[in-house]
Amino acid sequence: MTERAMDWQELTDLTRGRPFVVERVRLEGSGVVIEGEFELPQLAQLGVEEQVFVTAFVRCHGSIKEMERIFGVSYPTIKSRLNRIAQTLDFVETDPAPSRAEVIARLRRGEITAQQALAELDGGA
């Protein structure tokens, strides 16, 4: 019997939506194996139907009209499903807090007040 790679859909079906942890990763062709405890990326944790939906949404460049056409459902249905999926995903902050040096440089240039600088350094910006 030949061994073949299992795709995410098969893994999702096998686990029936229950949470699981990946403990071993092998990099193809290099012989490198990493063992530990790894969580799946959020999108891989979605059910198969949600993964298909998100993939279609990305391929449609976020066009709800196109999603309506593809899935044959109404605008409110698409929006409702997007909202339901969005609630399961954590937001990833893409605008990190400024470094201490950046805050001090802005203070020296007079771009912010001392009070604003203190607030930013304390994380209250």
Side-chain angles (χ1 to χ4, degrees):
M1 181 164 138
T2 59
E3 189 176 319
R4 68 175 183 81
M6 179 184 291
D7 67 18
W8 289 118
Q9 291 177 353
E10 289 176 301
L11 191 54
T12 302
D13 289 343
L14 180 67
T15 60
R16 297 183 180 154
R18 291 186 309 262
F20 62 93
V21 175
V22 175
E23 293 184 340
R24 187 171 192 261
V25 175
R26 182 177 50 85
L27 304 177
E28 275 190 281
S30 70
V32 174
V33 174
I34 305 166
E35 293 193 17
E37 196 168 296
F38 311 99
E39 284 187 24
L40 293 176
Q42 288 186 56
L43 294 175
Q45 293 177 29
L46 293 174
V48 174
E49 289 181 15
E50 286 83 8
Q51 288 180 27
V52 168
F53 189 83
V54 169
T55 301
F57 188 70
V58 170
R59 286 194 173 169
C60 292
H61 304 280
S63 169
I64 293 180
K65 270 198 175 310
E66 185 66 13
M67 293 291 286
E68 289 176 281
R69 187 190 67 72
I70 290 170
F71 289 96
V73 295
S74 67
Y75 177 92
T77 303
I78 297 294
K79 285 295 286 184
S80 174
R81 192 158 178 194
L82 283 171
N83 288 335
R84 206 169 44 251
I85 293 169
Q87 288 175 352
T88 67
L89 302 174
D90 294 330
F91 180 73
V92 176
E93 183 60 54
T94 58
D95 189 18
S99 71
R100 182 179 175 90
E102 290 170 11
V103 173
I104 292 171
R106 289 177 44 225
L107 176 62
R108 284 187 177 141
R109 292 191 301 263
E111 295 173 5
I112 58 175
T113 67
Q115 191 172 9
Q116 289 169 319
L118 287 171
E120 286 190 30
L121 292 171
D122 287 338

